[in-house]
Amino acid sequence: MGKKVLFINQEIAPYVPNSEMSIFGADMPRHMQDAGFEIRTFMPKWAAINERRGQLHEVIRLSGMNLIIDDMDHPLIIKVASIPQTRIQVYFIDNEDYFQKRLAMTKDELGNDYPDNGERAIFFARGVLETVKKLRWAPDIIHCQGWMSSVIPFYVKTAYKDEPQFAKSKIVTSLFTEQPSDSLGKKFKQCLEFKSAELSKIEKYGDNFDFKELGKLVIDYSDGIIQTSNNVNKELMQYAVDSKKEILMQPENEADIQTRYTEFYNKIME
């Protein structure tokens, strides 16, 4: 069996409508599975996902943990389904307050960001990492796609760095055009603190945690960055260059994706 890649996605088609992120969320795991990698993939269980049509079912043995965020207990529910016409299973992170009570994904019906998107991203990140621990599966590469997964690199390199599943994991993050419109709020830093993910480690970032600060956080704690298009924020791409991160421009030819991604993963793992 090949190296193990954990894809952590904000969106995956066909569970949510087609978008840049959801198409990447579906296509990249498929490409890399076809290239010989062992794949696991996660996404939030957005309320708009039709569980019956998507054939989701709860995994009782993985559910039931409570995650404490902002001094509140939030039960973690894990559901699973298989992407049609593939052998790829998707694990869904669910919670009544953060996901079931929201009609849309990250923005309300008026197009405004949900004010607790920062807390939702933290819950999603910790839910994924705790579930991977329960699966006793150690990824060689953790590949984050979508800003909702931006907390993952920070946690893997701090709060979870001594966990056997993640001790040797390398992190690749794909940067997209879509970013949160509003700040994640002044409580975001406070809520982010967990175990060795201490406030002192994020002092350098502005208190008004907007998408640029979030982008800098994810770049600082990633080993490699994938620029998905020429429309990715130029300031963040320059920040990645200045940080001397390994960078891959998304191949324009689909036939090149498996080869270029495999080379990039192997370079990161050297």
Side-chain angles (χ1 to χ4, degrees), residues 115-135:
D116 62 350
N117 272 345
E119 292 176 44
R120 299 169 84 204
I122 291 168
F123 179 87
F124 177 55
R126 287 178 51 192
V128 169
L129 297 174
E130 292 294 341
T131 302
V132 173
K133 281 173 55 180
K134 283 190 174 184
L135 291 170

Side-chain angles (χ1 to χ4, degrees), residues 26-187:
D27 286 353
M28 296 310 115
R30 175 177 55 81
H31 280 303
M32 301 323 294
Q33 183 169 269
D34 290 345
F37 290 87
E38 183 181 342
I39 302 298
R40 295 280 174 92
T41 186
F42 282 77
M43 74 174 286
K45 170 38 185 82
W46 305 112
I49 294 173
N50 187 310
E51 294 193 30
R52 179 176 295 177
R53 188 181 305 142
Q55 298 183 336
L56 277 66
H57 62 271
E58 185 174 351
V59 186
I60 302 299
R61 68 183 178 89
L62 298 176
S63 298
M65 179 182 298
N66 278 354
L67 304 181
I68 300 174
I69 298 173
D70 197 23
D71 296 326
M72 296 284 289
D73 276 349
H74 299 279
L76 174 63
I77 302 166
I78 306 297
K79 295 172 182 175
V80 71
S82 294
I83 299 178
Q85 283 90 46
T86 75
R87 294 173 290 114
I88 295 175
Q89 276 195 326
V90 180
Y91 291 89
F92 296 85
I93 300 296
D94 200 3
N95 170 266
E96 183 176 358
D97 292 326
Y98 287 140
F99 297 111
Q100 294 176 18
K101 290 183 178 179
R102 304 288 191 277
L103 295 176
M105 290 188 280
T106 62
K107 298 177 184 291
D108 63 22
E109 60 274 13
L110 298 177
N112 300 313
D113 288 356
Y114 287 119
D116 62 350
N117 272 345
E119 292 176 44
R120 299 169 84 204
I122 291 168
F123 179 87
F124 177 55
R126 287 178 51 192
V128 169
L129 297 174
E130 292 294 341
T131 302
V132 173
K133 281 173 55 180
K134 283 190 174 184
L135 291 170
R136 300 185 182 277
W137 193 75
D140 298 290
I141 293 282
I142 298 173
H143 191 149
C144 300
Q145 298 194 114
W147 65 262
M148 186 60 69
S149 65
S150 293
V151 175
I152 296 279
F154 175 61
Y155 276 155
V156 170
K157 298 291 182 73
T158 56
Y160 289 84
K161 65 182 174 62
D162 294 325
E163 298 287 351
Q165 280 84 359
F166 307 115
K168 296 181 180 179
S169 298
K170 299 294 184 180
I171 302 175
V172 171
T173 296
S174 294
L175 296 183
F176 291 86
T177 306
E178 182 189 325
Q179 297 288 352
S181 304
D182 301 327
S183 163
L184 296 179
K186 292 186 177 181
K187 289 176 66 177

Side-chain angles (χ1 to χ4, degrees), residues 161-213:
K161 65 182 174 62
D162 294 325
E163 298 287 351
Q165 280 84 359
F166 307 115
K168 296 181 180 179
S169 298
K170 299 294 184 180
I171 302 175
V172 171
T173 296
S174 294
L175 296 183
F176 291 86
T177 306
E178 182 189 325
Q179 297 288 352
S181 304
D182 301 327
S183 163
L184 296 179
K186 292 186 177 181
K187 289 176 66 177
F188 178 70
K189 278 188 173 181
Q190 172 190 326
C191 294
L192 196 57
E193 191 170 28
F194 174 63
K195 293 184 177 178
S196 60
E198 299 156 345
L199 285 175
S200 60
K201 291 183 170 67
I202 51 176
E203 282 181 351
K204 64 177 279 191
Y205 308 104
D207 288 334
N208 185 33
F209 229 94
D210 61 11
F211 84 89
K212 288 185 181 177
E213 297 304 294

